[in-house]
C-alpha cells in the first residue's frame, strides 16, 4: 500500500470534501488545495490508474475501497496529531500544518504506540 505524500493528500482531501458535499469534482479538489485544475487532473489520472479512485463520466470522484482505506488512515493521523498538539498548547493552525507533515512519515507501529499513549491521557 505504498503511496506518495502527494497521493495521500489528494485522497485525504477527497475524503474530507465527500463528508460535506454530495459529490466531489476535480475543481473542488483544486480549490480546496489551492492548485491549478490541470495539476489536479494529472493527479486524478494517476490515482485512477492506481485503483484509488473512480471518476464518472460527469466528473464525479469517488474513493475505491483501497483509496478510502488510505484516506481514512491519513485523516485519522491528521486528526489525532492536530488534537494532541493543540492540547500541548500549540496554536491550532500551526498544529494542523505540523500534523500534515507528521502524518505521512510515521510508521504504523509508531502511530499505534502514540495513539495508545494519547488515549491514556
Amino acid at each position: 500500500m505504498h503511496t506518495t505524500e502527494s497521493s495521500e493528500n489528494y485522497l485525504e482531501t477527497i475524503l474530507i470534501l465527500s463528508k460535506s458535499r454530495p459529490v466531489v469534482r476535480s475543481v473542488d479538489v483544486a480549490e480546496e488545495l489551492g492548485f491549478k485544475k490541470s495539476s489536479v487532473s494529472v493527479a486524478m489520472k494517476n490515482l485512477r490508474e492506481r485503483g484509488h479512485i473512480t471518476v464518472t463520466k460527469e466528473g464525479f470522484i469517488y474513493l475505491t475501497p483501497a483509496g478510502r482505506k488510505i484516506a481514512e488512515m491519513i485523516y485519522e493521523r491528521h486528526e489525532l496529531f492536530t488534537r494532541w498538539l493543540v492540547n500541548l498548547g500549540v496554536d491550532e493552525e500551526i498544529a494542523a500544518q505540523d500534523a500534515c507533515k507528521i502524518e505521512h512519515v510515521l510508521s504504523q507501529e509508531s502511530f499505534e504506540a502514540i495513539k495508545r499513549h494519547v488515549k491514556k491521557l
Side-chain angles (χ1 to χ4, degrees), residues 77 80-81 105-117:
R77 289 171 173 229
L80 182 128
F81 290 133
V105 297
L106 201 66
S107 71
Q108 188 62 30
E109 182 179 354
S110 293
F111 175 71
E112 292 298 329
I114 291 169
K115 188 165 76 170
R116 283 191 304 274
H117 176 73

Side-chain angles (χ1 to χ4, degrees), residues 53-64:
I53 63 168
T54 58
V55 182
T56 67
K57 63 181 180 178
E58 296 85 7
F60 303 153
I61 302 167
Y62 297 97
L63 294 168
T64 64

Side-chain angles (χ1 to χ4, degrees), residues 78 82 86 90-99:
H78 184 87
T82 300
V86 167
V90 177
D91 174 79
E92 193 168 341
E93 188 174 323
I94 293 170
Q97 291 170 2
D98 288 346

Side-chain angles (χ1 to χ4, degrees), residues 14-30:
I14 293 166
L15 176 69
I16 291 167
L17 289 173
S18 70
K19 292 175 182 281
S20 63
R21 299 169 186 249
V23 294
V24 177
R25 300 166 298 143
S26 289
V27 67
D28 302 321
V29 175

